[in-house]
Amino acid sequence: MEKNVNILFTTMTTNMLEIFNYSFMIRAFTAGTVIGIVAPVIGTFLVARRYSLIADTLGHISLAGVAIGLLLGINPIITALVAAVIMSLVIDRLRSGKLVSGESALAMLLSGGLALAIVLISLAKGFNVDLFSYLFGSITTVRPEDLYLIIPLGLLVIVLTLLFYKQLLYISFDEEGSRVNGIKVTALNTLLMVLTAVIVSLSIRIVGSLLIGALIVIPVVTAAQIARSFRSSIALSILFSLFAIVVGLFASFYFNLAAGGTIVLVALIVFAITSLFK
């Protein structure tokens, strides 16, 4: 009996690990691991500052950047990155200039970004398979050249976050007090916006432009249910994010599901379980 159980376990393990025989899945897991770490790190600061909506806004802007890249024959991640960074600076300018309230600016730009994307898509004669994968994520579309952008930029996000961790933490909870104490709040706000734009544009291959906001926010909110400090909240959110990505990628591969939607659903299930049994 024990021998049969061991054989069954070995067979199941072998079948599960078959996923790593495919180079596109290795690339997907590599990109997913990077995104699974950096997204909740920045997301923790965004949630603390009530900036959760900015991820969705930049996701829609990134979709417009993707459409531009496909129209011009340029790597869509590059054009999405440029569009998201530019718009993050615009958002920061609108917010700091008090021209409109932060929520109003995000709502307008979210709708505007989606409208621009729709117009550009119509110029490209409607949806195609490649563009659809950018909307909802696809495990088969992560290319080697994408990793050349995702890995170094992901490392850059981590390094900058570590360097300015204390200042970002301070302005997240007391912006006015930070100004009084000589912290360069404007520059740090700009940095946070740009880092968010980088993460959003890098994540669209795995999660999709319409779902990236969920990956940035849900693991952070889940971690907040049980975390006892800001540092532990970051650590737990990374753990929950990586779990959602790994399980989501396995499920999307073996059950032929959309990667982005599966990852977000796993993250929501973890949140529900944590809320029930915290």
Side-chain angles (χ1 to χ4, degrees):
M1 180 67 179
E2 183 178 351
K3 182 179 180 180
N4 292 334
V5 171
N6 290 334
I7 293 174
L8 178 61
F9 178 77
T10 302
T11 302
M12 291 178 60
T13 303
T14 302
N15 291 335
M16 287 290 290
L17 295 180
E18 180 187 1
I19 192 173
F20 296 107
N21 292 332
Y22 301 93
S23 58
F24 70 88
M25 285 307 305
I26 295 176
R27 292 193 296 269
F29 274 100
T30 302
T33 300
V34 175
I35 299 305
I37 294 173
V38 297
V41 168
I42 296 299
T44 305
F45 292 103
L46 294 178
V47 171
R49 304 197 65 182
R50 307 295 193 272
Y51 280 3
S52 302
L53 189 59
I54 192 174
D56 290 310
T57 302
L58 292 177
H60 287 72
I61 298 298
S62 295
L63 179 60
V66 167
I68 292 173
L70 293 176
L71 281 172
L72 299 179
I74 304 173
N75 186 337
I77 289 187
I78 295 177
T79 52
L81 177 61
V82 173
V85 169
I86 292 175
M87 193 52 60
S88 70
L89 297 176
V90 172
I91 293 172
D92 185 57
R93 176 62 179 172
L94 290 174
R95 191 192 66 85
S96 61
K98 308 297 182 182
L99 298 176
V100 292
S101 67
E103 290 184 357
S104 298
L106 291 178
M108 288 191 300
L109 292 173
L110 188 150
S111 302
L114 184 58
L116 177 60
I118 292 173
V119 170
L120 292 173
I121 290 170
S122 66
L123 292 176
K125 308 301 180 184
F127 285 94
N128 56 46
V129 175
D130 199 19
L131 184 58
F132 194 82
S133 69
Y134 286 100
L135 279 169
F136 305 107
S138 174
I139 58 178
T140 63
T141 58
V142 180
R143 300 174 297 182
E145 52 266 36
D146 295 332
L147 295 181
Y148 300 152
L149 283 174
I150 293 174
I151 294 175
L153 288 177
L155 291 174
L156 179 63
V157 170
I158 295 174
V159 170
L160 290 175
T161 304
L162 291 174
L163 285 176
F164 297 100
Y165 172 79
K166 291 184 179 180
Q167 293 92 325
L168 290 171
L169 176 62
Y170 201 171
I171 68 171
S172 294
F173 291 97
D174 189 0
E175 186 169 310
E176 293 303 320
S178 301
R179 294 184 188 277
V180 172
N181 283 278
I183 295 177
K184 298 179 179 179
V185 174
T186 302
L188 289 170
N189 281 333
T190 301
L191 175 64
L192 184 61
M193 296 297 103
V194 171
L195 293 181
T196 304
V198 171
I199 292 171
V200 168
S201 58
L202 296 181
S203 304
I204 55 178
R205 282 290 196 184
I206 297 295
V207 188
S209 61
L210 299 184
L211 298 173
I212 178 56
L215 184 62
I216 290 178
V217 173
I218 294 174
V220 176
V221 177
T222 304
Q225 305 294 314
I226 55 177
R228 296 181 178 275
S229 68
F230 196 81
R231 288 180 181 272
S232 64
S233 179
I234 292 177
L236 287 172
S237 64
I238 292 174
L239 179 64
F240 292 141
S241 176
L242 290 175
F243 177 81
I245 288 176
V246 171
V247 174
L249 288 178
F250 268 101
S252 63
F253 177 81
Y254 285 107
F255 298 103
N256 194 26
L257 304 172
T262 307
I263 290 170
V264 172
L265 285 177
V266 172
L268 283 171
I269 291 171
V270 174
F271 169 75
I273 294 173
T274 305
S275 299
L276 288 173
F277 299 100
K278 67 176 181 177

